[in-house]
Amino acid sequence: MAATSVQAQQQQPLLGFGTEAAKKELDLEAAFDKQLQANNLRDWMKRMTAFPHQLGSPYGLNNALFLRDKLASWGFDARLDTVHVLFPTPKVRILELTEPTKFKASLTEKPLKEDATSAQTKDVLPPYHAFSANGDVTAELVFVNYGVPDDYEELAKLGVDVKGKIVIAKYGGSWRGIKPKVAYEHGAIGCIIYSDPKEDGYFQGDVYPKGAFKNESGVQRGSVVDLPLAPGDPLTNGFVADAAHKRLSVDEAPAMMKIPVLPISYGDALPLLKALGGQVAPATWRGALPITYHVGPGPAKVHLKLEFNFDIVPCYNVIATLKGSEFPDQWVIRGNHHDAWVFGAADPVSGAVAELEEARALGELVKTGWNPKRTIVYCWWDGEEPGLLGSTEWVEKYQSILKEKAVVYLNSDGNGRGYLGAGGSHTLEKFVNQVGRDVTDPEKGTSVIERLRSRTILNGTPTAKQEARSRADLRIGALGSGSDYTPFIQHLGIASLNVGYGGEDAGGDYHSIFDSYDHYTRFKDGDFAYGVTLAKTLGRSVLRFANADVLPFDFSNFANTVQGYTAEVKKELEAARTKAEDHNKVLGEGRFEAAADPKDPFVKPSVESVAPYLNFAPLDNALVRLEQSAKAFASASSKFSTLPADKLKELNEILYKTERKLIHADGLPRRPWYRHQIYAPGFYTGYGVKTLPMIREAIEQKNWKEAEEGILRVSGVLEGFVGEVERAIGVGR
Ligand SMILES: [Zn+2]
């Protein structure tokens, strides 16, 4: 049944291919699928995760050379493209409770006999946060929940100030780098981040090695570079260090964290939290430790001392090219990082080996006489974990070439068992749906897109449920940051996709020594069936982009998506206005004082700024034109594949450069590196995306003037985009 329906769907037209070409393409994809072997993924994962392979490590270079040599043996033009970047590693780490009792945190993860690599010590980086400041501070402790801006509003209501204090925050609720940044903005002098068992420990399920979840010694390492400001080497934001471009000093680097920050386990956090007094934490802040959670400050006092080596290290990107036979100057780029925090089986090796198997299968197709029309560039990035260092420096190094030649960037970053997860440029939403239609789920035999549709109908939000039934294409998420697509889409405006499977593979191993081959094969994708499925999904995407007559971009779903974002920001503005009006009303009536518990400290809230009415007309007008041009393009596109070669070439160049029109040379306010005007990582969410970021964040920050400027900025960018769509229609006429 399921197979027949997939076949029936396959007979529907293939975006970018005429009838004959589509048939040939589907045959080629079937031959590609036949090549893929799960055992290769298993062998390569075992090999690549045998030793720690973080940026700057001997085994990191060993893996890079392994990848390069494999690729060269399959017929790719493969090389290491090396850049030099700042990589801080820990020299001194001390955390101790000095009052009211004494306790010294172990700051180590305990090896397990059930986990073969966990007892290694050579080249293992202990738990730390890359790009933390040096520091030696002693102060009272305050518990700040997730440490996001809302939590500090709550603390202010409780009369608790963190100025001059050390804060302890839970992982979760935002990207980790936001926590010390917001703590610093509120005057804290140090920050500790711990993994509460409620998030990924025993509250969720059995802990490792019995189950997949975090045990009491597991710690999440990670970067705290100010990623929403700019990724890449913080000493060289926007460029690569060379004779003409000098590195900043560590002290000058704006993206460096300003206070010391350290990750710890819940084993180490328990005595600190237990020693806290003060008010009982709000109900939603409490975790799963066997204590009553208090916010402090004190009487717990802690001493935190951190020192780092600030070394410049080589960063080895592996770049492998198959030259296009017809359009060598149009590049289809595919990437996944190869560096890990320690052994990194799930993150990133599960994705890196799927990508490697794709490349091997392409090499086999070449042996049969096939050649891609466009150039295919396969990349394995180094230094992703400390802050997208390898990919960002590569993009900055080759930016003028990439602006001209990059057609699309296809990313993965780890993989597991479960459902298709896809995010990216909405001009690619239809494309992703077609690819997902043609890939079969290994557990259920239905297409991966239909499986995702079923889950959305069961578990989605009310709107998502309704749309999953009525809308032809499933929606894809927008990209914020957190992986190597960031420099491509956010800095240069190269249409990008990020794809991975997951949702049936939970665990607490992320960025700990327990993200290992043993953990992965027991709890994630033990038979590598979803690794092969990822290779089918992204390999197919590469093949379609490399071979298409007309590049498979579509503008209707993009127009529909931006209309949705606009409706959201209008709603947010209305909600902000109502909230501020209500707040000011009850404040004026004296109701806060009247309702407060006289035994608790009372802090009178201040008057809130009420949102004015903003003029959305320019944006509404641009959206109407966008919708019209998208419709006109869709109806004109049926004839495109019959165009003469020179016209097709011109058309395709316009198509893949439409995304470039969504960037603005000035970038976003206070963070010029981020230039995309539709998608950006949130300034206070980190990885989490903010769509229409200039408008949305201005409304959230109650900066009404900037919101109005944002409306004009986005309208202008969309008008430019519409101009290109109309030009494409003109060429195709
Ligand atoms: Zn990763």
Side-chain angles (χ1 to χ4, degrees):
M1 266 296 277
T4 337
S5 90
V6 169
Q7 268 165 11
Q9 283 174 338
Q10 276 173 350
Q11 281 148 17
Q12 285 167 16
L14 205 54
L15 212 58
F17 294 86
T19 317
E20 272 312 297
K23 212 180 146 295
K24 254 179 80 183
E25 171 67 18
L26 291 173
D27 287 345
L28 182 75
E29 291 174 7
F32 174 82
D33 284 355
K34 265 203 199 109
Q35 286 295 333
L36 303 172
Q37 291 169 30
N39 276 339
N40 285 335
L41 276 67
R42 180 192 309 276
D43 294 346
W44 295 334
M45 176 180 281
K46 187 136 208 194
R47 193 243 175 251
M48 290 182 73
T49 61
F51 300 100
H53 53 104
Q54 69 275 10
L55 171 65
S57 64
Y59 205 62
L61 172 59
N62 184 304
N63 273 342
L65 293 171
F66 161 76
L67 291 167
R68 183 197 64 184
D69 294 346
K70 281 274 180 217
L71 290 152
S73 76
W74 300 328
F76 283 78
D77 176 8
R79 65 196 173 85
L80 299 190
D81 192 304
T82 308
V83 288
H84 289 82
V85 294
L86 175 67
F87 183 42
T89 52
K91 198 156 59 177
V92 177
R93 298 175 311 136
I94 296 169
L95 173 65
E96 52 198 359
L97 185 67
T98 59
E99 287 175 37
T101 49
K102 297 220 183 307
F103 163 74
K104 190 161 187 203
S106 82
L107 309 181
T108 52
E109 295 171 293
K110 292 190 189 74
L112 294 168
K113 65 176 188 322
E114 296 86 347
D115 188 290
T117 48
S118 65
Q120 289 187 34
T121 53
K122 189 177 177 291
D123 296 326
V124 173
L125 287 174
Y128 81 110
H129 283 136
F131 300 104
S132 157
N134 283 333
D136 186 353
V137 290
T138 302
E140 283 184 319
L141 193 63
V142 178
F143 174 52
V144 296
N145 192 32
Y146 291 124
V148 298
D150 283 353
D151 296 325
Y152 287 87
E153 273 181 34
E154 193 65 32
L155 282 172
K157 283 186 202 156
L158 299 173
V160 175
D161 189 350
V162 303
K163 215 163 275 153
K165 307 281 194 286
I166 295 173
V167 302
I168 181 165
K170 294 187 287 192
Y171 267 114
S174 77
W175 174 64
R176 79 181 76 73
I178 301 301
K179 301 165 194 282
K181 171 162 127 175
V182 177
Y184 168 73
E185 287 175 359
H186 286 82
I189 57 171
C191 178
I192 302 160
I193 309 178
Y194 81 102
S195 301
D196 197 284
K198 193 164 187 178
E199 264 72 37
D200 63 357
Y202 53 72
F203 187 83
Q204 296 291 336
D206 287 322
V207 302
Y208 198 51
K210 189 179 179 209
F213 291 94
K214 200 177 249 94
N215 60 40
E216 64 171 7
S217 86
V219 187
Q220 182 191 135
R221 291 155 185 75
S223 175
V224 293
V225 75
D226 195 350
L227 199 68
L229 188 68
D233 184 343
L235 306 185
T236 65
N237 287 150
F239 59 88
V240 176
D242 57 25
H245 300 91
K246 290 244 168 319
R247 285 191 176 84
L248 300 177
S249 71
V250 170
D251 296 335
E252 294 170 307
M256 273 289 301
M257 199 44 62
K258 305 295 183 288
I259 55 174
V261 48
L262 184 71
I264 63 172
S265 64
Y266 57 80
D268 275 342
L270 180 59
L272 307 184
L273 291 167
K274 213 173 178 172
L276 272 178
Q279 296 171 73
V280 172
T284 55
W285 289 28
R286 300 168 199 163
L289 288 168
I291 52 166
T292 301
Y293 286 70
H294 290 82
V295 288
K301 203 174 199 183
V302 296
H303 172 219
L304 174 65
K305 183 175 180 188
L306 300 174
E307 272 176 39
F308 300 91
N309 303 301
F310 289 99
D311 297 326
I312 304 290
V313 302
C315 176
Y316 303 108
N317 293 322
V318 183
I319 309 292
T321 307
L322 277 183
K323 200 168 177 193
S325 58
E326 288 182 39
F327 309 108
D329 289 332
Q330 294 181 0
W331 294 1
V332 178
I333 309 174
R334 162 84 177 100
N336 193 107
H337 66 103
H338 69 78
D339 71 301
W341 271 119
V342 191
F343 306 105
D347 179 11
V349 173
S350 58
V353 295
E355 189 192 6
L356 193 58
E357 183 64 354
E358 284 168 46
R360 191 191 64 79
L362 290 181
E364 290 296 325
L365 295 183
V366 170
K367 278 189 207 158
T368 66
W370 169 80
N371 269 304
K373 285 188 191 172
R374 297 183 178 83
T375 294
I376 295 176
V377 185
Y378 265 75
C379 313
W380 282 262
W381 309 113
D382 200 356
E384 190 268 357
E385 293 296 0
L388 321 180
L389 306 185
S391 57
T392 301
E393 297 307 309
W394 190 80
V395 165
E396 289 172 350
K397 184 172 169 184
Y398 298 108
Q399 52 185 306
S400 49
I401 303 172
L402 289 170
K403 273 181 210 162
E404 279 309 305
K405 299 186 178 180
V407 168
V408 70
Y409 176 66
L410 305 164
N411 190 69
S412 59
D413 182 346
N415 194 59
R417 194 169 73 88
Y419 305 91
L420 172 70
S425 304
H426 289 83
T427 53
L428 298 173
E429 188 172 84
K430 202 169 264 311
F431 173 78
V432 176
N433 274 267
Q434 275 206 346
V435 170
R437 173 197 76 184
D438 296 344
V439 174
T440 303
D441 183 284
E443 289 179 332
K444 296 288 180 166
T446 172
S447 78
V448 296
I449 207 84
E450 276 314 304
R451 186 146 194 247
L452 181 61
R453 191 183 298 279
S454 298
R455 191 181 72 154
T456 311
I457 287 170
L458 286 171
N459 299 337
T461 62
T463 317
K465 281 183 187 190
Q466 186 250 318
E467 281 190 343
R469 288 193 183 279
S470 60
R471 193 175 185 260
D473 297 317
L474 287 181
R475 290 190 187 276
I476 61 170
L479 294 179
S481 186
S483 193
D484 295 305
Y485 50 77
T486 298
F488 291 90
I489 184 166
Q490 309 288 5
H491 195 55
L492 294 190
I494 294 163
S496 298
L497 276 182
N498 185 50
V499 177
Y501 288 84
E504 297 175 323
D505 60 349
D509 53 304
Y510 177 65
H511 290 186
S512 76
I513 59 166
F514 304 119
D515 180 2
S516 62
Y517 178 84
D518 287 339
H519 189 288
Y520 189 85
T521 48
R522 274 186 68 196
F523 299 111
K524 302 253 163 157
D525 180 28
D527 59 4
F528 293 85
Y530 280 94
V532 169
T533 307
L534 180 66
K536 285 182 183 171
T537 310
L538 282 171
R540 202 170 238 87
S541 304
V542 167
L543 282 171
R544 287 186 189 181
F545 261 96
N547 295 339
D549 298 321
V550 184
L551 288 169
F553 291 99
D554 156 81
F555 304 112
S556 312
N557 287 6
F558 175 70
N560 172 261
T561 303
V562 183
Q563 281 167 350
Y565 295 159
T566 304
E568 278 171 23
V569 295
K570 285 179 180 173
K571 232 182 176 171
E572 260 190 51
L573 181 69
E574 290 309 309
R577 181 181 304 118
T578 315
K579 185 168 166 263
E581 282 169 352
D582 287 353
H583 172 92
N584 293 346
K585 185 171 172 223
V586 292
L587 183 70
E589 292 166 351
R591 299 204 184 268
F592 286 106
E593 287 101 320
D597 183 339
K599 289 183 177 164
D600 285 339
F602 175 71
V603 185
K604 192 179 174 183
S606 42
V607 177
E608 281 185 14
S609 152
V610 177
Y613 289 88
L614 300 180
N615 178 17
F616 279 97
L619 186 52
D620 290 332
N621 288 324
L623 288 174
V624 170
R625 285 194 60 207
L626 178 62
E627 191 182 350
Q628 286 167 345
S629 67
K631 267 192 193 144
F633 180 85
S635 60
S637 66
S638 58
K639 291 176 298 187
F640 286 167
S641 61
T642 58
L643 287 172
D646 58 328
K647 285 266 187 186
L648 259 184
K649 187 163 186 281
E650 196 183 344
L651 174 69
N652 281 328
E653 218 172 298
I654 297 170
L655 291 181
Y656 74 78
K657 287 182 180 168
T658 50
E659 189 90 11
R660 310 281 195 278
K661 293 285 164 185
L662 300 176
I663 63 173
H664 190 281
D666 295 346
L668 294 174
R670 295 167 295 284
R671 43 178 180 152
W673 190 93
Y674 283 97
R675 295 176 179 155
H676 208 291
Q677 300 297 316
I678 309 297
Y679 320 113
F683 201 71
Y684 286 108
T685 54
Y687 287 178
V689 66
K690 293 282 175 180
T691 55
L692 308 184
M694 187 169 170
I695 307 172
R696 195 183 296 263
E697 292 198 317
I699 291 172
E700 286 169 1
Q701 307 300 319
K702 299 182 183 289
N703 186 340
W704 315 121
K705 187 170 160 280
E706 198 164 281
E708 201 123 57
E709 287 164 9
I711 293 171
L712 292 176
R713 166 82 68 87
V714 175
S715 314
V717 156
L718 288 176
E719 294 284 354
F721 184 91
V722 168
E724 291 307 290
V725 177
E726 286 173 348
R727 205 154 72 83
I729 298 168
V731 170
R733 199 164 274 144

